[in-house]
Amino acid sequence: MAPTHAGGSAPARRRVLVLGGSSEIAGAIVAALARREPVAASLVGRDPGRLASARATLAGAGVEDVQDVELDARDIARHEQALDQAVAQLGGFDLAIVALGVLGEPGALPADLDGAVESMQLNYVAAGSLLLRVAQRMRAAGAGTIVVLSSVAAERPRRANAVYGSAKAGLDALARGLGDELQDSGVKVLVVRPGFVHTRMTSGMAPAPLATTPLAVAEEVLGALDGRAQTIWAPSPLRWVMLVMRALPRAVFRRMRR
Ligand SMILES: NC(=O)c1ccc[n+]([C@@H]2O[C@H](COP(=O)([O-])OP(=O)(O)OC[C@H]3O[C@@H](n4cnc5c(N)ncnc54)[C@H](OP(=O)(O)O)[C@@H]3O)[C@@H](O)[C@H]2O)c1
């Protein structure tokens, strides 16, 4: 699984860009990668304190060089500049992880509508903007892998998660189309659909069936980096659960409250 870049030679370290730099799932992926090979990482995120903490965790996990770039991803006008800063730190990207996201208030008609719109903008528009901009750079370089953290919620949003799920559905669809567009370019797009993962995002919530951990998601992702799969589920049996969920008649599906 040697990283490559535009020149075709293998750099000494895999250069990893994390969009949502303090994400626990992304952190677990980078740490797991660092156990297998040399890694340099640039963490792009909005909170200096959480970025510093993520940097310290990854340095402790053996990532050789961890830097960060401050970006509130809602500020789309700054996306190119932030990516330029990350390129200046790493020299380019072999792997990008699109991990930014917020769960937001549950339900299809939340009380805080401004908050709902903000979460839709972050989960789809901001994440999609960064995804497209990274893809453009990787296509120009002729190589790279983009891991997009989607969700099982994207497959068939429920009334309980319609705002979040619909934005993730947009991102998931964009990532799949992009993967098809880039199929002969040397760039791979891997769509990851986790179920319930025990992280800061879900803390205090009752775990859903097949709940998993960031480490387990990381292992699924690492297993798929060089494979042929372009969409994976974490844990993998969720693929079959979601097959059934997608087939449920709407009259049954609409009664699901969680
Ligand atoms: N946990 C789950 O059960 C689960 C399941 C399916 C999919 N996912 C997806 O997996 C991804 C990672 O989630 P996680 O579980 O690792 O949760 P997390 O630790 O809360 O990670 C979310 C990341 O998004 C960042 N973010 C939020 N708003 C931002 C903004 N305006 N600008 C820049 N960054 C922003 C957060 O930064 P801050 O530290 O500044 O908040 C954090 O780094 C998310 O896209 C999530 O939707 C999670």
Side-chain angles (χ1 to χ4, degrees):
M1 171 158 125
T4 57
H5 59 72
S9 58
R13 306 180 296 190
R14 189 181 293 250
R15 301 161 303 178
V16 183
L17 171 72
V18 183
L19 301 161
S22 54
S23 150
E24 287 185 52
I25 296 176
I29 296 170
V30 179
L33 196 57
R35 287 192 282 279
R36 288 164 51 155
E37 61 186 67
V39 168
S42 176
L43 312 182
V44 178
R46 63 177 165 170
D47 185 90
R50 282 194 289 275
L51 285 174
S53 158
R55 282 177 60 175
T57 303
L58 289 179
V63 177
E64 291 180 357
D65 176 15
V66 202
Q67 306 193 54
D68 65 52
V69 174
E70 272 180 51
L71 171 73
D72 186 324
R74 292 170 298 183
D75 188 356
I76 287 171
R78 277 208 60 237
H79 282 189
E80 288 293 343
Q81 186 194 357
L83 293 176
D84 286 344
Q85 279 178 257
V87 168
Q89 292 172 349
L90 296 177
F93 317 127
D94 303 301
L95 173 67
I97 305 171
V98 180
L100 63 160
V102 288
L103 201 49
E105 192 182 332
L109 187 53
D112 177 7
L113 293 185
D114 290 338
V117 171
E118 197 167 299
S119 78
M120 289 152 71
Q121 282 169 337
L122 182 80
N123 290 332
Y124 178 53
V125 179
S129 164
L130 288 164
L131 169 62
L132 292 176
R133 292 170 203 279
V134 168
Q136 188 179 54
R137 288 166 189 252
M138 283 187 174
R139 181 168 65 180
T145 300
I146 308 175
V147 171
V148 180
L149 292 177
S150 173
S151 168
V152 289
E155 282 194 74
R156 190 170 182 187
R158 291 170 285 118
R159 58 193 275 196
N161 65 11
V163 172
Y164 174 80
S166 62
K168 283 290 191 187
L171 182 67
D172 190 290
L174 178 65
R176 282 179 286 125
L178 185 64
D180 293 345
E181 175 75 19
L182 297 178
Q183 59 187 320
D184 300 318
S185 71
V187 180
K188 171 173 170 164
V189 180
L190 177 65
V191 176
V192 181
R193 294 179 180 157
F196 186 107
V197 188
H198 290 282
T199 67
R200 186 160 52 99
M201 182 175 272
T202 54
S203 75
M205 295 170 61
L210 297 177
T212 189
T213 63
L215 178 59
V217 177
E219 282 164 0
E220 300 272 5
V221 170
L222 258 53
L225 278 186
D226 290 331
R228 292 171 61 86
Q230 298 191 327
T231 303
I232 62 168
W233 287 255
S236 55
L238 275 176
R239 173 182 198 147
W240 310 115
V241 174
M242 294 314 295
L243 193 68
V244 174
M245 291 285 262
R246 285 204 308 272
L248 282 179
R250 188 142 178 231
V252 176
F253 194 74
R254 68 177 6 151
R255 292 205 192 93
M256 296 178 70
R257 293 190 175 274
R258 279 196 67 203

